[in-house]
Amino acid sequence: MQGKEPSNQFVQVHTPLDASRKAYEEYERNDCQCGQTKEQRIVNGSDVKPAHKYPWQVGIRENDSENYMCGGSIINDRYILTAAHCVTDKNNKPVSLKDLSVGVGDHISTSTKDDGMFTKTVVVKQIIVHNNYKPKNYDNDIALLKLFEPISLALSPDVGTICLPANDDKTYENINGTASGWGTIKNNGPQAEVLQETMLKILDSNCNGNSREVTENQLCVLPIFGDTCHGDSGGPLVVFEEPHYTLVGITSFTFVKCNDNYPTVFTRVSKFLQWIEDNTKDGLYC
């Protein structure tokens, strides 16, 4: 999608047209809060209800594919946080921008008409991959997508940001988290059309005896009712910390198969707070 404006069939993202960026930021900041769910198939997961319950969830497509190849999370009005392996090629280089797009405010991945007020495909302006990403063991498996235009965080309740951890003090071990995505509903199976969610237990650093396979930049989870699978990579693992949800993990890899009683590994977001801050200084946080 290099050089192309987003399709007119979607609601246009609000962008400030005058020089009053400060006034725009104050308006946006006063009208948004991070980590707020909209209350009312991940393997063995369930449909997210109500639609847009997790307004920070995005899908990442390559080459105009019908399905999302990966997920991601909105962290501010200009940046998506995802996994490095989602946006790098076999030579560990960022994929071509013309092949990449982001679905914002989506619920049913194969439709652009069913999701309510705000569903949009957004053009990616820049891919920022962590410079120490190691594909062999997925260490530092984290990347940022800078969007071509900012998302108006006050435009629709269907779109919002996820809160980042305040610091690196918490391990979150023995806490249940929620993962979401449009990945396959079983090994080598079809991808889910409706956004799925599942609960996962965050393990301690022993990772059920697999500690040699993980680094301090990663965390392990154990499936409770279901597991992440192919196509869920890059998506969020969140925990509820009153009064909001916090992004603690980015879906990275499984040891053998999905939902096989082996731990699933996530990038530990709290280890990268300074890196995120350094690379998103022009973004507006709620």
Side-chain angles (χ1 to χ4, degrees):
M1 299 181 70
Q2 187 178 33
K4 291 172 62 178
E5 292 291 334
S7 170
N8 291 331
Q9 65 180 311
F10 299 104
V11 178
Q12 184 176 0
V13 169
H14 171 72
T15 305
L17 300 178
D18 57 27
S20 184
R21 174 71 182 178
K22 182 177 180 181
Y24 161 74
E25 290 182 352
E26 289 179 354
Y27 166 75
E28 290 285 85
R29 187 175 289 109
N30 290 335
D31 285 74
C32 75
Q33 293 179 305
C34 68
Q36 302 300 310
T37 61
K38 183 177 179 181
E39 297 293 352
Q40 121 155 320
R41 259 206 208 258
I42 284 178
V43 181
N44 290 335
S46 58
D47 292 357
V48 169
K49 294 180 181 179
H52 313 289
K53 179 180 177 182
Y54 304 121
W56 49 81
Q57 176 82 48
V58 303
I60 301 173
R61 282 194 176 95
E62 190 175 27
N63 297 322
D64 296 322
S65 171
E66 184 180 67
N67 295 312
Y68 289 127
M69 66 171 185
C70 279
S73 303
I74 302 171
I75 60 170
N76 61 41
D77 70 335
R78 291 179 182 269
Y79 289 89
I80 305 299
L81 195 63
T82 188
H85 78 263
C86 286
V87 291
T88 52
D89 60 23
K90 62 182 180 180
N91 297 314
N92 204 28
K93 301 295 184 182
V95 299
S96 174
L97 289 175
K98 66 182 178 63
D99 295 332
L100 209 62
S101 62
V102 175
V104 175
D106 210 350
H107 181 63
I108 299 178
S109 64
T110 56
S111 173
T112 59
K113 299 178 180 179
D114 62 311
D115 294 345
M117 292 178 59
F118 194 106
T119 302
K120 182 176 178 65
T121 295
V122 181
V123 176
V124 177
K125 182 177 183 179
Q126 183 183 7
I127 300 171
I128 305 169
V129 176
H130 196 283
N131 57 357
N132 287 324
Y133 166 54
K134 297 178 175 63
K136 185 176 181 179
N137 64 350
Y138 295 96
D139 194 22
N140 304 303
D141 189 13
I142 189 170
L144 288 159
L145 303 182
K146 183 175 182 178
L147 303 180
F148 185 80
E149 55 183 341
I151 302 168
S152 177
L153 303 174
L155 182 65
S156 169
D158 295 345
V159 177
T161 63
I162 183 62
C163 301
L164 297 175
N167 50 52
D168 189 33
D169 290 348
K170 294 183 179 180
T171 65
Y172 296 99
E173 64 182 62
N174 297 318
I175 294 177
N176 292 340
T178 300
S180 51
W182 289 276
T184 56
I185 58 176
K186 62 180 179 180
N187 281 294
N188 301 315
Q191 283 194 236
E193 291 188 0
V194 177
L195 184 65
Q196 302 284 292
E197 65 176 318
T198 192
M199 187 177 292
L200 303 162
K201 181 181 179 181
I202 300 173
L203 301 176
D204 60 25
S205 58
N206 184 49
C207 192
N208 272 22
N210 294 279
S211 58
R212 290 192 202 177
E213 306 295 331
V214 299
T215 73
E216 65 175 9
N217 300 317
Q218 298 166 329
L219 61 82
C220 291
V221 303
L222 197 64
I224 298 177
F225 303 118
D227 196 7
T228 56
C229 205
H230 310 293
D232 292 319
S233 291
L237 174 70
V238 300
V239 299
F240 185 66
E241 297 185 295
E242 183 72 35
H244 59 250
Y245 280 84
T246 300
L247 180 68
V248 301
I250 299 170
T251 309
S252 187
F253 73 93
T254 57
F255 286 111
V256 186
K257 296 181 179 180
C258 313
N259 205 39
D260 56 3
N261 296 319
Y262 279 89
T264 296
V265 181
F266 288 72
T267 300
R268 189 182 290 273
V269 174
S270 64
K271 295 295 184 182
F272 299 93
L273 297 177
Q274 189 62 56
W275 180 82
I276 293 170
E277 180 182 345
D278 290 345
N279 286 283
T280 62
K281 291 185 182 299
D282 55 341
L284 171 65
Y285 285 88
C286 291

